[in-house]
Amino acid sequence: MRTAIVTREGFNKLKQELDFLWRDERPAITKIVTWAASLGDRSENADYQYNKRKLREIDRRVRYLRKTLENVKVVDYSPVQEGKVFFGALVEVENEDGVKREFRVVGYDEIFGRNDYISIDSPMARALLNKAIDDEAVVLTPQGETTWYINAISYPAADLEQ
């Protein structure tokens, strides 16, 4: 498994999810499975089947989170990053049509369930890396090249430290 990178906030969220699944969710589902199994015939017991499946999903996610947290590298904010786009940056961009977008450049494991986060491995993030405000970034998309202009760069972690 390759070493993944995450922000400090991303690491904390993954750890919180693991703690919740292991300490709260899994014991609750295990109780339901035990109760449903005590009723007898498991082949036609919907409570047993559904919760047994849910327990397997929880166990799969717990295994994934444990492996991920073992191999993750946390990238903390550094004042050297100020003024340029690096990992963890919150970036506002605008295209030639005046369409604005704002997103944060984070690790792959942090993007799920978030429309305002993009992976460091995405074409947009790669085009933006090491750029400053007013620079342009050319992104290769399936529709062709798109030019985006950088309007603002900030680091949420820097706000936390102040």
Side-chain angles (χ1 to χ4, degrees):
M1 180 176 221
R2 73 182 182 105
T3 301
I5 58 173
V6 294
T7 61
R8 176 69 54 192
E9 299 92 334
F11 177 81
N12 291 339
K13 284 182 183 174
L14 291 172
K15 188 148 178 30
Q16 285 172 353
E17 181 186 357
L18 175 61
D19 289 344
F20 170 75
L21 288 173
W22 190 249
R23 292 190 177 136
D24 298 327
E25 188 78 4
R26 191 176 193 288
I29 298 298
T30 302
K31 283 181 184 175
I32 295 171
V33 168
T34 303
W35 166 79
S38 73
L39 299 177
D41 187 10
R42 296 176 186 173
S43 65
E44 293 186 19
N45 186 330
D47 277 333
Y48 177 81
Q49 291 176 354
Y50 171 78
N51 286 294
K52 190 70 172 170
R53 187 175 322 119
K54 188 165 175 78
L55 191 58
R56 284 192 301 270
E57 290 169 4
I58 291 169
D59 287 344
R60 194 174 309 119
R61 183 68 179 162
V62 164
R63 277 192 305 278
Y64 174 80
L65 288 170
R66 283 185 175 159
K67 278 187 172 184
T68 298
L69 289 170
E70 283 175 11
N71 295 308
V72 79
K73 180 179 187 300
V74 176
V75 178
D76 287 313
Y77 165 78
S78 169
V80 175
Q81 294 172 277
E82 268 320 305
K84 291 207 173 196
V85 178
F86 291 107
F87 187 80
L90 182 63
V91 185
E92 181 188 288
V93 294
E94 183 175 353
N95 68 12
E96 293 140 346
D97 299 330
V99 175
K100 291 184 180 181
R101 298 254 167 87
E102 185 176 76
F103 43 78
R104 187 162 184 210
V105 179
V106 296
Y108 171 78
D109 290 301
E110 297 177 76
I111 63 172
F112 299 102
R114 299 289 306 251
N115 292 333
D116 57 339
Y117 280 17
I118 61 171
S119 170
I120 186 80
D121 298 322
S122 70
M124 175 66 97
R126 290 191 181 276
L128 291 171
L129 285 178
N130 216 14
K131 300 271 196 262
I133 293 175
D134 294 331
D135 284 355
E136 64 180 53
V138 178
V139 182
L140 184 60
T141 67
Q143 293 78 27
E145 288 185 348
T146 306
T147 302
W148 293 88
Y149 302 94
I150 301 172
N151 291 339
I153 303 167
S154 64
Y155 286 90
D159 298 336
L160 297 174
E161 291 177 3
Q162 295 175 358

